[in-house]
């Protein structure tokens, strides 16, 4: 009905399969899903005796959103759905997910790193990732980018996920990457590999380039707060290129509405998860406290 992609289908199938596991049967009528069963299902997801690695509150909330979506669809389409399940609230405390991105120095370090001769396959994924940092394009859009989409100093592309028509100006770094692959066979503009391979290779590339900044990930598991510390190269993914574009653009002082025009976000609220500020930006801005002109204005 809604032309779901493979990932969306997988997300809904995952929660249905988990509910079957909880119910210990492979057929559940929507009317059987009640306030009590949903409460028990929530407890089941958090049970460390059942799951060696219990789900974080963020993951459980995602499962409940998907499950409630299925129940609402059932009600709207004439299926018998228990009213308790529609009004059920999971009441799970969550913490905003850590946003990982590369600051400008890290982008430069990755972009200029010389990989060993035996690791030259990492050149391609690094270049594609950096192109995403310079243009905000998702991996799916980088994969579909054709030479015909490049019109002088502008990329004109209809996005895969949202069907938005974007006009993205090319900065010199992005143009240099396109020039590097101008003789790529066929009509593709960049040598993009699958999402899975790209995410694996970019972690390897980041580790070699020394992107080892600590990233603190805070989660809630039930009522317990769990802090995990990872290296940036352990958590980096291709989608971090898009986040890096947003975060660095805002740090450089580019207005949010201009950044939004490049990313294709519907409004500033939908861009919030991508917005974070690097330590260097905070230090630069807080220096204004000690700047003479500002002190004079305060006085």
């Amino acid at each position: 009905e809604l032309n779901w992609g493979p990932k969306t289908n997988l997300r809904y199938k995952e929660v249905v399969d988990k509910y079957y596991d909880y119910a210990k049967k492979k057929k559940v009528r929507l009317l059987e899903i009640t306030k009590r069963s949903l409460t028990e299902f929530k407890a089941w997801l958090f049970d460390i005796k059942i799951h060696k690695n219990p789900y974080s509150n963020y993951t459980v909330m995602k499962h409940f959103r998907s499950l409630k979506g299925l129940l609402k669809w059932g009600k709207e389409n004439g299926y018998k759905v228990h009213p308790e399940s529609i009004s059920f609230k999971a009441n799970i405390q969550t913490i905003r997910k850590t946003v990982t991105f590369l600051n400008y120095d890290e982008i430069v370090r990755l972009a200029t790193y010389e990989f060993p001769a035996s690791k030259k396959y990492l050149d391609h994924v690094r270049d594609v990732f950096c192109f995403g940092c310079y243009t905000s394009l998702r991996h799916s859009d980088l994969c579909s980018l054709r030479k015909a989409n490049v019109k002088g100093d502008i990329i004109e592309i209809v996005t895969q996920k949202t069907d938005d028509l974007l006009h993205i100006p090319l900065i010199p770094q992005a143009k240099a990457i396109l020039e590097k692959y101008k003789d790529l066979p066929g009509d593709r503009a960049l040598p993009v590999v699958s999402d899975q391979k790209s995410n694996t290779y970019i972690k390897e590339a980041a580790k070699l380039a020394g992107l080892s900044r600590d990233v603190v990930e805070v989660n809630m598991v039930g009522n317990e707060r769990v802090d995990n510390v990872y290296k940036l190269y352990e958590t980096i993914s291709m989608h971090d290129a898009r986040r890096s574009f947003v975060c660095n653009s805002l740090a450089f002082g580019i207005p949010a509405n201009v950044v939004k025009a490049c990313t294709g976000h519907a409004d500033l609220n939908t861009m919030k998860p991508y917005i974070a500020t690097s330590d260097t930006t905070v230090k630069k801005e807080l220096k204004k406290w000690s700047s003479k002109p500002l002190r004079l204005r305060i006085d």
Side-chain angles (χ1 to χ4, degrees), residues 262-279:
C262 293
T263 61
H265 284 103
D267 52 52
L268 294 179
N269 281 331
T270 58
M271 202 166 72
K272 273 185 180 179
Y274 297 88
I275 297 175
T277 308
S278 67
D279 293 339

Side-chain angles (χ1 to χ4, degrees), residues 138 140-141 158-164 239 274:
R138 300 179 182 89
S140 57
D141 297 322
V158 176
T159 60
Q160 292 284 315
K161 184 177 180 180
T162 56
D163 292 332
D164 291 317
H239 201 66
Y274 297 88

Side-chain angles (χ1 to χ4, degrees), residues 4-107:
W4 286 348
K7 288 184 179 179
T8 308
N9 278 315
L10 186 63
R11 187 170 78 244
Y12 281 90
K13 183 180 185 302
E14 187 180 15
V15 70
V16 169
D17 288 342
K18 280 182 171 53
Y19 197 89
Y20 287 158
D21 288 342
Y22 147 73
K24 296 180 180 176
K25 55 183 179 180
K26 285 292 183 184
K27 188 174 182 180
V28 177
R29 295 169 61 221
L30 295 183
L31 198 56
E32 295 175 42
I33 302 176
T34 63
K35 179 180 178 180
R36 179 176 178 176
S37 69
L38 289 172
T39 303
E40 289 176 351
F41 179 52
K42 180 175 78 169
W44 180 85
L45 288 169
F46 284 128
D47 194 334
I48 58 174
K49 294 177 183 176
I50 298 172
H51 313 287
K52 290 182 180 179
N53 296 310
Y55 299 105
S56 70
N57 290 21
Y58 182 81
T59 301
V60 173
M61 275 302 296
K62 284 206 307 184
H63 287 331
F64 269 93
R65 276 198 297 268
S66 298
L67 190 54
K68 290 288 287 290
L70 290 172
L71 291 166
K72 286 178 181 176
W73 181 91
K75 182 181 179 183
E76 290 165 2
N77 285 272
Y79 291 91
K80 292 181 179 179
V81 179
H82 202 293
E84 287 182 355
S85 67
I86 298 296
S87 61
F88 178 81
K89 288 181 170 49
N91 293 324
I92 298 171
Q93 182 185 357
T94 58
I95 297 174
R96 177 172 285 187
K97 206 171 182 182
T98 303
V99 175
T100 52
F101 67 98
L102 275 63
N103 60 42
Y104 182 72
D105 291 341
E106 289 167 334
I107 294 173

Side-chain angles (χ1 to χ4, degrees), residues 31-290:
L31 198 56
E32 295 175 42
I33 302 176
T34 63
K35 179 180 178 180
R36 179 176 178 176
S37 69
L38 289 172
T39 303
E40 289 176 351
F41 179 52
K42 180 175 78 169
W44 180 85
L45 288 169
F46 284 128
D47 194 334
I48 58 174
K49 294 177 183 176
I50 298 172
H51 313 287
K52 290 182 180 179
N53 296 310
Y55 299 105
S56 70
N57 290 21
Y58 182 81
T59 301
V60 173
M61 275 302 296
K62 284 206 307 184
H63 287 331
F64 269 93
R65 276 198 297 268
S66 298
L67 190 54
K68 290 288 287 290
L70 290 172
L71 291 166
K72 286 178 181 176
W73 181 91
K75 182 181 179 183
E76 290 165 2
N77 285 272
Y79 291 91
K80 292 181 179 179
V81 179
H82 202 293
E84 287 182 355
S85 67
I86 298 296
S87 61
F88 178 81
K89 288 181 170 49
N91 293 324
I92 298 171
Q93 182 185 357
T94 58
I95 297 174
R96 177 172 285 187
K97 206 171 182 182
T98 303
V99 175
T100 52
F101 67 98
L102 275 63
N103 60 42
Y104 182 72
D105 291 341
E106 289 167 334
I107 294 173
V108 171
R109 192 188 314 170
L110 180 64
T112 58
Y113 185 79
E114 289 288 334
F115 294 107
S118 60
K119 302 279 187 181
K120 284 299 179 184
Y121 61 92
L122 297 178
D123 275 348
H124 290 178
V125 74
R126 181 266 309 278
D127 291 342
V128 170
F129 180 89
C130 288
F131 193 83
C133 291
Y134 304 142
T135 61
S136 87
L137 290 177
R138 300 179 182 89
H139 183 268
S140 57
D141 297 322
L142 293 168
C143 191
S144 65
L145 186 67
R146 297 295 183 261
K147 293 170 184 175
N149 293 125
V150 182
K151 303 180 186 302
D153 293 335
I154 297 284
I155 287 177
E156 185 180 283
I157 187 171
V158 176
T159 60
Q160 292 284 315
K161 184 177 180 180
T162 56
D163 292 332
D164 291 317
L165 175 60
L166 300 181
H167 295 85
I168 304 172
L170 289 167
I171 63 173
Q173 296 94 319
K175 291 174 72 174
I177 293 174
L178 289 174
E179 179 67 19
K180 179 177 178 178
Y181 294 104
K182 66 179 181 180
D183 296 324
L184 194 69
D187 63 345
R188 291 173 66 186
L190 296 169
V192 186
V193 295
S194 70
D195 195 30
Q196 185 177 359
K197 281 186 178 179
S198 294
N199 284 327
T200 300
Y201 291 162
I202 196 60
K203 285 178 170 60
E204 186 179 356
K207 185 175 183 179
L208 287 172
L211 302 186
S212 55
R213 165 168 56 89
D214 285 342
V215 176
V216 181
E217 190 175 274
V218 183
N219 280 311
M220 295 293 295
V221 178
N223 295 319
E224 184 181 347
R225 171 179 160 142
V226 179
D227 292 24
N228 294 308
V229 180
Y230 303 97
K231 296 298 182 184
L232 178 58
Y233 63 77
E234 293 176 310
T235 64
I236 193 172
S237 70
M238 292 301 291
H239 201 66
D240 289 337
R242 183 169 165 84
R243 296 188 184 109
S244 299
F245 173 86
V246 173
C247 297
N248 284 281
S249 296
L250 294 172
F252 294 150
I254 299 171
N257 63 319
V258 174
V259 177
K260 182 172 72 69
C262 293
T263 61
H265 284 103
D267 52 52
L268 294 179
N269 281 331
T270 58
M271 202 166 72
K272 273 185 180 179
Y274 297 88
I275 297 175
T277 308
S278 67
D279 293 339
T280 52
T281 308
V282 173
K283 289 176 184 176
K284 181 180 73 176
E285 292 301 313
L286 288 183
K287 279 183 179 178
K288 292 177 180 178
W289 275 94
S290 58

